[in-house]
Amino acid sequence: MQTSRTDHPTATAALIAPGRARRFRGRSRRTGRSGRHAGSLLRRLTPWYFLAIGVGLLLLFTYWPAVNLVYYSFTDWDGIDQTKNFVGLQNYIDVFTDPSIFRVFFVSLYYFAASFAQMAIALYFATILSFRTRFSNLFRGILFFPYLINGVAIGFVFLYLFQPGGTLDTVLSWFGVGDPPQWLGDPNLVNWSLAGTSVWRYTGMNFVLFLGAIQSLPHELYEAAELDGASRWQQFWAIILPGIRRVVGLSFILAISGSLSVFEIPFIMTGGANGSSTFVIETIQTAFTFRGVGLASAMAVVLLMIVLIVTWIQRKVFPDEKVDLT
């Protein structure tokens, strides 16, 4: 009896065990497939999780204010009152028909012209310092240092430089110039003085861009050019300038947008007086001094559209092309 009691459960378990094992293996395979599927889904979604934070911040702090800016440009909001009356395109009509608003665009031409001198100076020094030159690191630091200085500090430094009886007038008096011009008081000269200050500050940024692009060119090209007897000037036209064409195009776009959005230096040095008011200064004064947030918003939208149109034209005229120097 004991033998039959013990053999019967064993035999039953032996009969049942293969079925349980098959069900367990099937469940394990299903669990394994679902685990792999969940892991694969998590791997695919992980980049989107990281992107979601950046995209969310970008939408919240950039695109949502831009949408509000466009909305305000169609209203007469003064920035304080809760009521915003819809005025249609009247603010845009005022921007293009009011000479006191639109004429400040011509001030940007001084900075635009100065930006070409800035790019030429930066390209000249970047080309020279890309070759073996004594104290090249020292000169690189000297050229880039002004870009590290705060714009407010630069404004005050050049304000003391250009003021009557200031540093520049003192230096000119050493060379016999007894009656120097009013660098910031003469309407015909003030914008050139401010544009020159802007050149001094931003040349370092263009210099670093050009120097990095030049140093990224294959060194074998220079060696082959030297073996062929090419001079430095020929190397510049045949190797350097075609090789950094994209960086030059980028600098051109930055020069246009920068010349249209100049603010710090003229605001600190002159406050927009003597015909030196730029479009950004005029926009800020319209918004916060004259309480015309709706009109100022329309001015900001017009400035944005001009920058986008100029950039689009530049991209069409000078498209990015693959440069093959081999």
Side-chain angles (χ1 to χ4, degrees):
M1 291 296 291
Q2 293 177 350
T3 302
S4 61
R5 286 178 184 174
T6 56
D7 289 344
H8 181 70
T10 304
T12 304
L15 293 174
I16 294 174
R20 286 182 176 176
R22 286 195 295 272
R23 288 197 296 274
F24 178 74
R25 287 195 294 270
R27 192 179 303 147
S28 300
R29 284 195 290 270
R30 288 195 296 273
T31 304
R33 285 197 295 270
S34 62
R36 288 192 296 272
H37 179 70
S40 177
L41 180 62
L42 181 62
R43 284 193 297 273
R44 287 198 300 269
L45 292 179
T46 297
W48 295 102
Y49 292 150
F50 286 100
L51 288 175
I53 298 173
V55 172
L57 294 175
L58 182 67
L59 293 175
L60 181 62
F61 294 107
T62 301
Y63 289 99
W64 181 246
V67 171
N68 281 332
L69 180 72
V70 175
Y71 167 67
Y72 295 150
S73 68
F74 293 102
T75 67
D76 62 349
W77 190 39
D78 60 359
I80 299 176
D81 197 346
Q82 296 293 329
T83 304
K84 306 178 184 64
N85 298 316
F86 183 74
V87 296
L89 296 175
Q90 185 58 45
N91 288 330
Y92 291 95
I93 295 174
D94 293 340
V95 171
F96 289 103
T97 58
D98 190 347
S100 63
I101 297 176
F102 201 73
R103 65 177 172 77
V104 294
F105 270 116
F106 295 103
V107 177
S108 301
L109 296 178
Y110 292 93
Y111 297 92
F112 184 64
S115 64
F116 284 95
Q118 171 185 314
M119 292 172 59
I121 295 171
L123 184 58
Y124 173 76
F125 284 106
T127 304
I128 290 178
L129 296 179
S130 63
F131 297 104
R132 290 182 179 178
T133 310
R134 284 188 177 182
F135 308 112
S136 62
N137 290 331
L138 175 64
F139 290 123
R140 292 176 185 180
I142 291 174
L143 287 169
F144 186 66
F145 178 70
Y147 185 69
L148 300 177
I149 304 175
N150 184 271
V152 177
I154 292 177
F156 280 111
V157 168
F158 277 85
L159 182 62
Y160 295 130
L161 177 71
F162 287 127
Q163 68 180 358
T167 307
L168 183 57
D169 290 351
T170 302
V171 174
L172 290 176
S173 66
W174 297 345
F175 297 94
V177 181
D179 188 18
Q182 297 289 327
W183 302 106
L184 300 178
D186 188 350
N188 297 322
L189 197 60
V190 60
N191 287 311
W192 290 113
S193 301
L194 298 175
T197 306
S198 180
V199 169
W200 184 85
R201 184 190 180 193
Y202 291 105
T203 297
M205 184 190 68
N206 290 116
F207 167 75
V208 170
L209 291 176
F210 292 147
L211 183 65
I214 292 173
Q215 290 184 338
S216 66
L217 298 176
H219 192 69
E220 292 78 8
L221 296 175
Y222 298 108
E223 294 177 352
E226 290 178 357
L227 290 176
D228 292 338
S231 63
R232 296 296 189 192
W233 180 251
Q234 291 171 331
Q235 291 179 23
F236 173 79
W237 279 108
I239 299 175
I240 295 176
L241 195 58
I244 63 171
R245 183 176 178 179
R246 290 186 177 182
V247 178
V248 174
L250 172 64
S251 300
F252 185 72
I253 295 174
L254 294 176
I256 295 173
S257 61
S259 61
L260 291 173
S261 58
V262 175
F263 171 69
E264 287 179 337
I265 291 175
F267 185 78
I268 294 168
M269 295 179 66
T270 64
N274 300 324
S276 62
S277 180
T278 62
F279 195 76
V280 176
I281 293 177
E282 196 74 20
T283 302
I284 291 176
Q285 290 178 344
T286 302
F288 301 108
T289 304
F290 303 108
R291 295 296 179 190
V293 174
L295 179 59
S297 300
M299 295 169 66
V301 172
V302 169
L303 178 62
L304 174 64
M305 295 306 298
I306 291 175
V307 172
L308 292 178
I309 291 172
V310 172
T311 303
W312 180 79
I313 293 174
Q314 188 274 335
R315 302 290 290 183
K316 288 294 181 182
V317 175
F318 301 103
D320 286 339
E321 296 177 356
K322 292 185 178 178
V323 179
D324 188 5
L325 295 174
T326 59

